[in-house]
Amino acid sequence: MNLQTVLDYVPFYETTDIEKIKEIEIKGVQVDSRSIKDGELFVCIKGYTVDGHDYVEQAIKNGAVAVVSEKEIDIAVPVIVVSNTSRVLGLIANKYYENPSKKFPLIGITGTNGKTTITYLLESIYNTHKQKTGVIGTIQMKIGHDVYPVANTTPDALSLQKSFYQMREEKVDTAIIEVSSHALDLGRVHGVDFDVAIFTNLSQDHLDYHEDMRDYLFAKSLLFSQLGNVYEDSKPKFAILNADDEHMEFLKKSTAQPVVTYSRTKKADVYATDIELEVTHTRFNMHTPKGSVQIDSNLIGMFNVSNMLAASAAALMQDIPLETIKIALENLEGVDGRFEAVTAGQSFACIVDYAHTPDSLENVLQTVNEFVKGKVYVVVGCGGDRDRTKRPLMANIAVKYADLAILTSDNPRTEDPTRILEDMTADLKSDHYLTIESREQAIQHAVEIAEDGDIIVIAGKGHETYQIIGHTKYDFDDRVIAKQAIEKKVK
């Protein structure tokens, strides 16, 4: 594509090589100088630890034919100077990949908890409807049955547009994406054409990044304000909001698009009644403007009732038949690392869950307390280099709902694990807890003391297959460690 064509979206920029720019054909766009190939455009991005401006020479050596920068640089290729390369990146990426998100319906999901589960639910619904889906989320990116790794819950603007372009080329019918507050705040989804935006809930998380809860809520609201201000018959847009969350009214004011509400506690556009929670399944009646059905799902807990209602509301707005939704919800076996059972012939239950916020941990522990016959043991920690204020909250919830809380490490990163545990236990009034710094030993201890009818909840990491200590990722999977400990016990 011609470089001048790529820059047509950029309203203002400076360059001394305007004529040369018109002659350059670029073969790609990159923000990592190491990935540059001959004929590509390099965009300098200032990150938290790395500034792309420091790697311009490497980019040129690797074949960059032009550079987008926030300052003038004396180099042999044309330099396009803009005031903010991060914002311009979205414009350039969108133009280069030809507005790919306009080519198929796109559903975005934001909120503190439930995003990943809803992507799985929607994937199941659309696949049951014989549609090919593209999914981008915390765990992975999927296009049809093909799986690709992801670095962030929501990729940067360039990677995102490239992914949508790939989905378009592979003829995806509907795409589903988790949208984090970081991504919204940093403008990673600028230029993305969402058709449906779903809000799950809001509870304390990411206050290491956001100034306070109000700032966190504002970041989430951007997804709904960015649905646009225009009503299009050919591509209608909808905001799907959780009526059980106190922030719904604020989010309703954030969007000009039609609002569809869902609730598991009261009447809404889509709502649940007659909820029955069991150890192995959840049953409820779902009422919608298009009829009512009974759902008997393998997913466990009240929070999953909300997740199923949210996914159903979004699918209904995309004209998926109610009976198809019912079949899809009931056929989904489970979600990777979300209330996932670990079994190896034991007489007690062992559950691994991603619960890493006060609200999600409380939800999971409340759920197991509704059907446990014996004692509840929870293994939980808090991440290093992250929001310190939630550490005592997590610990207090753990001791409130468990017979014994085993407090341990969870990706300590560059912090001293002992210091993290001290933060967690500083305000504890209860004494039914242990601190075991080694996560492996903490899991093993929980398994050793568990008896018939007990439930162990291993919280915080879920699907993750690593432990970050310092700046290094080590192989570590709660499910593997738990299964090994159980197999050793039951021999």
Side-chain angles (χ1 to χ4, degrees), residues 426-439:
D427 296 324
L428 285 181
K429 304 297 188 291
S430 168
D431 60 358
H432 53 277
Y433 71 89
L434 298 173
T435 59
I436 302 177
E437 183 179 312
S438 164
R439 191 173 182 89

Side-chain angles (χ1 to χ4, degrees), residues 48 84 86-87 90 106-112 115 152-157 160 164 177-194 196-202 206 209-210 214-228 241 250-251 254:
Y48 293 116
N84 187 314
S86 293
R87 291 188 71 87
L106 176 62
I107 301 172
I109 308 154
T110 197
T112 306
K115 297 187 294 296
N152 300 303
T153 299
T154 313
D156 64 76
L160 199 54
F164 289 145
I177 176 173
E178 294 182 47
V179 188
S180 68
S181 59
H182 290 66
L184 288 160
D185 189 65
L186 294 168
R188 291 178 188 161
V189 293
H190 284 173
V192 175
D193 187 30
F194 290 101
V196 178
I198 301 173
F199 169 69
T200 63
N201 48 60
L202 193 84
H206 302 306
Y209 177 85
H210 296 288
R214 183 178 178 82
D215 183 54
Y216 183 33
L217 173 61
F218 175 76
K220 295 293 188 187
S221 76
L222 293 174
L223 178 62
F224 301 91
S225 63
Q226 290 171 13
L227 277 173
L241 302 182
F250 177 85
L251 294 173
S254 300

Side-chain angles (χ1 to χ4, degrees), residues 319-476:
D319 296 322
I320 305 297
L322 186 57
E323 188 57 32
T324 301
I325 294 171
K326 171 182 167 65
I327 293 169
L329 297 186
E330 294 185 339
N331 285 346
L332 185 65
E333 291 295 327
V335 178
D336 196 19
R338 271 62 177 178
F339 217 86
E340 184 176 350
V342 179
T343 57
Q346 78 273 25
S347 59
F348 54 89
C350 181
I351 304 295
V352 171
D353 194 88
Y354 189 53
H356 63 288
T357 67
D359 182 61
S360 60
L361 181 63
E362 186 169 37
N363 283 336
V364 168
L365 293 178
Q366 283 179 333
T367 296
V368 299
N369 272 288
E370 288 169 353
F371 51 73
V372 67
K373 293 181 174 60
K375 293 182 178 179
V376 174
Y377 300 109
V378 59
V379 178
V380 65
C382 290
D385 303 331
R386 297 294 186 267
D387 178 13
R388 290 182 62 187
T389 65
K390 78 176 184 181
R391 293 173 184 173
L393 301 178
M394 295 283 285
N396 274 292
I397 287 168
V399 298
K400 178 181 178 181
Y401 291 100
D403 294 281
L404 178 67
I406 303 173
L407 308 179
T408 188
S409 295
D410 181 347
N411 296 332
R413 300 182 178 86
T414 63
E415 277 197 75
D416 180 353
T418 304
R419 171 68 183 277
I420 297 173
L421 290 170
E422 288 173 353
D423 285 346
M424 293 183 74
T425 58
D427 296 324
L428 285 181
K429 304 297 188 291
S430 168
D431 60 358
H432 53 277
Y433 71 89
L434 298 173
T435 59
I436 302 177
E437 183 179 312
S438 164
R439 191 173 182 89
E440 182 173 3
Q441 291 176 14
I443 293 170
Q444 290 169 343
H445 181 73
V447 171
E448 287 168 5
I449 62 177
E451 299 178 350
D452 292 1
D454 293 345
I455 296 180
I456 301 170
V457 175
I458 306 172
K461 295 179 68 62
H463 63 281
E464 291 180 355
T465 57
Y466 55 82
Q467 180 85 312
I468 305 174
I469 302 173
H471 296 286
T472 305
K473 276 188 178 182
Y474 297 91
D475 289 341
F476 193 98

Side-chain angles (χ1 to χ4, degrees), residues 148-290:
Y148 306 87
V150 293
N152 300 303
T153 299
T154 313
D156 64 76
L158 179 61
S159 300
L160 199 54
Q161 296 295 347
K162 185 177 182 179
S163 297
F164 289 145
Y165 179 80
Q166 183 180 351
M167 290 180 186
R168 188 191 80 180
E169 292 298 290
E170 296 189 27
K171 298 186 172 17
V172 158
D173 297 302
T174 298
I176 306 148
I177 176 173
E178 294 182 47
V179 188
S180 68
S181 59
H182 290 66
L184 288 160
D185 189 65
L186 294 168
R188 291 178 188 161
V189 293
H190 284 173
V192 175
D193 187 30
F194 290 101
D195 298 281
V196 178
I198 301 173
F199 169 69
T200 63
N201 48 60
L202 193 84
S203 62
Q204 183 169 334
D205 199 16
H206 302 306
L207 293 190
D208 55 302
Y209 177 85
H210 296 288
E211 184 178 335
D212 51 31
M213 288 297 292
R214 183 178 178 82
D215 183 54
Y216 183 33
L217 173 61
F218 175 76
K220 295 293 188 187
S221 76
L222 293 174
L223 178 62
F224 301 91
S225 63
Q226 290 171 13
L227 277 173
N229 206 48
V230 175
Y231 306 119
E232 299 180 65
D233 293 338
S234 61
K235 212 168 187 243
K237 298 177 182 294
F238 300 94
I240 313 294
L241 302 182
N242 184 358
D244 295 328
D245 190 281
E246 62 180 329
H247 305 96
M248 186 195 75
E249 290 300 325
F250 177 85
L251 294 173
K252 187 184 289 186
K253 294 176 182 177
S254 300
T255 183
Q257 300 302 332
V259 170
V260 178
T261 60
Y262 66 93
S263 171
R264 59 177 169 80
T265 66
K266 56 195 172 189
K267 191 171 182 180
D269 295 315
V270 177
Y271 66 101
T273 61
D274 306 311
I275 301 172
E276 300 174 25
L277 302 177
E278 302 291 342
V279 179
T280 57
H281 67 101
T282 299
R283 185 183 294 113
F284 64 95
N285 292 324
M286 182 168 69
H287 308 278
T288 82
K290 298 186 180 182

